Amino acid sequence: MIHHKPRFVTVLGVTVFAMLLIAVPPSAVSQLSGTYTIGGSSPNYATFTAAAAALSAGVSGPVVFNVRPGTYPEQFTLPAVTGASAANTITFQAENGQAASVIVAFSSTTSANNFTIRFDGADYVTLKNMTLRATNTTYGIVIRFGTTNASTNNTVEGCVIEGINVASTSLEHSLVHCYQVAANHTNNTFRGNTFINGAKGIQLYGTGTTRYGGMIAENNIMQNQGEAGIYLWNVDNPTMRGNTINLSTTSTVTQYGLYLNTLYVGFLIEKNKIALMGGSGAKRGIQFWNSSIMPRGFIRNNFVTVNGGGSTSYAFYISTSGGKLIYNNTFVCTGTAASSRGAYIVIPRQEGLELLNNIIINHGNGQSYYTQGVTTTAPIFAQDYNVYWGPNPGTAIYWNAVAMPDINALRAASLMDANSIFKNATFLNESIGDLHLAGPSQNDTDLTGLVLASVTDDIDGDQRTVPYRGADEACYTKPEWYSYSLEDGNGLPPSYIVAPGTVFVRYNVNNPLDAATITITLRFYSVTDNSLVTTQSFQVNKPYGQAVDGLYPVSIPADLPPGYYRIEVFFNLMNSCALYVDRKAFPDRGVLVVAPGTNPCVVWPGDVNNDGVVNYGDRKDLNTYIYDSRMNSLWLNGPARYVAEAVSDPMAYVAWTPQAGAPWYTPLGCYMDSDGNGVVNNFDYLAIKLNWTRVHGAINPKQSDGVAVTGFDMSQNYPNPFNPATSIRLNIPERSEVTLRVTDMLGREVETLVQGSMEAGAHVLSFDGGSLPSGQYNATVSMTGKDSGLSYSRTIRMLLSK
């Protein structure tokens, strides 16, 4: 802007009046609005100091100062600016968006003057994409909040904030500093910055009346601080989200990733990665002191790793504090100190604590979990689905300072932890603080946790699907993604296999979406010595976005010795991260291999007389056989059958499937032993009772029996997973009293689908989970026949996935 200024000049001894044209920055006479430049060729302002002075006239709209590349050796203050607001913001930013191109550096020489940039009354100011430095070895504060005028709603974003490399606890070396000043600096945000060196990255230290509320620190990198990444005292409602904190590995002072003292009103700590790996000096990953939070605050989805060597260190430490919801964190402590702990809780306050779905591990020489002073007035309200592990199982967990010899002792002492486990976990690289689940922990069903409405994703933003305990929802496969069954040439479960011969594998792979080549492997283990005898494999191609299923003939070699075998089936398929993994399909199958021309005993459990149907005739024939066998007890004894499913299901021997036994001939045949134990006795009645009125297709039942051809049954729901509705089929052979209830995983009833009398036949029932959260639900049926008095019950698991 050109201004005209009158001047008197002397020309040849005569004084005359002249008008001179003088270039004056617009800020000298009017409020700012728009875009201006700092530095470089022909700028609006040569320095930050000049631009800050220009703001004294106020602003009438948004203002942007584009800073040209260069080094600016200056110190400046940002005061209150008239007109600044959420609409009229003020931004100082690198013109080219590169923080390394603009360097603001200053060497302070006194404590009172210790800063490079000072906020003193400024509101709605953003410092963006610049390098801000303090270069003095004694006075190293980069950004300081002033003592008199409150600065609010400011943002520091995408900057490099750098101090001197010190192993110090000095207040003079806090990169961002606000210490017990009367001005209430609130709602200031630090986002996406890199903090290098200094004693503390961010230090806000309020008073009992001035508490600097609403601070947000998110997605920052804290690197090489000597004492603390973020240090808060007398601060209300702070948010610390997505920060990566890797402190100095040479500092021997006590180090804190997050230090929090006297917080009284809310907070959020989530998705931070904290690694204090110096190997010497005490470490505290997250430490709370004297903080009773109402409303309660969340500590969720954090990775915390500490290694203090021989110095006592805690990944997570709470003392005399309450009001904290500690969900889905991974806390790992290493080092040699016997007093180090993965998590350490001392005298919770009355607002209480909740610890759910955490992985708390000590891979050093100390304890996994240690509590002290937990009472009804210093409570832990909820503690469950946690994973604990330490090197010395008998002293890895302490409850109220007493060693718990095992997880059951912890349950008895705490009256909680019903679903917690004591188990080690494998991480991707804990030496650098990378606590993503790896190796056998990636698809470990033991690590399945509790569905929490407040934890919908993990530390990486991946949706909680399983969900896993700890902060990482690992690469996973689900059992319902793949399945198989074995069949003979008639499409029935093979009662035995002739070698050489063929067994058919019916397979299904329906996830993930990726195209993949699936390898399916059958491993035959001898039941006698559990040795692997032969392996047979084949491959199928899965198209993108489609399920693949089919029937494949697998040849049984002629040199496979006769006998019982346990067959394990493995699928080599892609997990959720598109990585190929081997996954075992359940259950194992048992099969009898026989030589050509051999006639084994094939039994349908409960069909004692082998007439194709289970009815009163089987009870009569079993009674007669047992009575007659008293004359010759050898009739009652023979070889036991082998059913692989019995490892997980003791009732497998009486399940309604054909089961082959080694040749066993009695005067009445080989089929009397209906429960497979090798002895005919009163226990065989159980198979009759459970399979009452069932019929198999190999033999036509006698027409005179006049019984129903189906038995009690409930199918697995379809589809499963489902959203929002699914169907369940009931088979009822006679008029019966039926109850079908759906409950959640905590046993709470969700809906009763049936309660009352139902007629014989096949019934399809629908369940709608539209109003329910995602998760697993149980459907349990109980049926009692009105005529026979026989009872049947079954529970299936259903997965609602929204």
Side-chain angles (χ1 to χ4, degrees), residues 156-372:
V156 181
E157 182 175 359
C159 292
V160 175
I161 303 169
E162 185 174 359
I164 299 298
N165 186 359
V166 293
S168 167
T169 62
S170 170
L171 298 176
E172 305 292 350
H173 283 289
S174 301
L175 300 182
V176 173
H177 177 88
C178 184
Y179 184 76
Q180 293 191 331
V181 300
N184 196 2
H185 304 286
T186 59
N187 299 327
N188 295 298
T189 298
F190 304 88
R191 178 184 298 115
N193 304 290
T194 299
F195 292 79
I196 302 175
N197 299 329
K200 303 177 182 73
I202 297 173
Q203 175 178 263
L204 302 182
Y205 196 132
T207 68
T209 56
T210 307
R211 302 185 59 83
Y212 314 144
M215 185 276 297
I216 298 175
E218 62 182 2
N219 301 328
N220 300 290
I221 296 174
M222 305 284 183
Q223 180 178 320
N224 204 46
Q225 282 70 54
E227 183 186 9
I230 299 176
Y231 192 100
L232 306 181
W233 196 316
N234 284 320
V235 174
D236 288 338
N237 200 29
T239 295
M240 288 145 282
R241 177 193 297 116
N243 301 289
T244 299
I245 301 176
N246 296 295
L247 300 191
S248 168
T249 58
T250 59
S251 177
T252 57
V253 303
T254 299
Q255 291 183 318
Y256 307 91
L258 301 177
Y259 178 92
L260 308 133
N261 197 327
T262 320
L263 273 65
Y264 292 153
V265 182
F267 70 92
L268 176 61
I269 299 173
E270 69 173 358
K271 299 184 180 181
N272 300 287
K273 300 175 182 178
I274 301 172
L276 281 57
M277 308 301 291
S280 63
K283 314 297 179 191
R284 309 285 188 265
I286 298 176
Q287 175 168 312
F288 271 96
W289 277 91
N290 191 34
S291 298
S292 297
I293 311 300
M294 294 302 291
R296 296 186 295 179
F298 284 102
I299 305 167
R300 61 191 178 197
N301 279 335
N302 298 283
F303 284 167
V304 183
T305 318
V306 298
N307 179 0
S311 300
T312 298
S313 299
Y314 314 127
F316 182 64
Y317 181 28
I318 289 182
S319 179
T320 57
S321 299
K324 296 168 179 62
L325 305 175
I326 306 153
Y327 296 163
N328 279 97
N329 300 281
T330 304
F331 299 130
V332 175
C333 183
T334 62
T336 59
S339 54
S340 289
R341 290 148 192 175
Y344 182 27
I345 294 175
V346 180
I347 315 176
R349 288 197 172 179
Q350 62 183 1
E351 296 84 0
L353 306 173
E354 292 186 11
L355 292 94
L356 300 172
N357 281 1
N358 301 286
I359 296 177
I360 306 172
I361 284 181
N362 195 318
H363 278 158
N365 195 38
Q367 295 87 49
S368 164
Y369 184 51
Y370 196 109
T371 71
Q372 182 176 330

Side-chain angles (χ1 to χ4, degrees), residues 34 64 100 129 276 299 312 429 435 457 590 598 606 611 696 755:
V64 175
N129 297 337
L276 281 57
I299 305 167
T312 298
N429 191 344
L435 301 182
D457 62 359
T598 302
D611 65 355
H696 60 81
Q755 187 167 19

Side-chain angles (χ1 to χ4, degrees), residues 429-511:
N429 191 344
E430 72 179 45
S431 66
I432 61 172
D434 190 342
L435 301 182
H436 289 92
L437 293 172
S441 294
Q442 272 201 357
N443 204 53
D444 187 348
T445 56
D446 287 347
L447 301 185
T448 299
L450 181 67
V451 175
L452 299 174
S454 57
V455 188
T456 58
D457 62 359
D458 77 344
I459 192 169
D460 304 308
D462 296 333
Q463 291 300 303
R464 290 284 180 182
T465 305
V466 174
Y468 277 89
R469 313 182 200 202
D472 177 36
E473 188 75 356
C475 298
Y476 59 87
T477 59
K478 294 184 177 181
E480 58 263 32
W481 287 7
Y482 52 95
S483 62
Y484 83 100
S485 61
L486 301 182
E487 297 180 2
D488 61 19
N490 297 316
L492 297 173
S495 51
Y496 62 94
I497 302 175
V498 178
T502 302
V503 64
F504 294 87
V505 179
R506 187 171 295 280
Y507 57 85
N508 175 268
V509 180
N510 57 38
N511 249 313

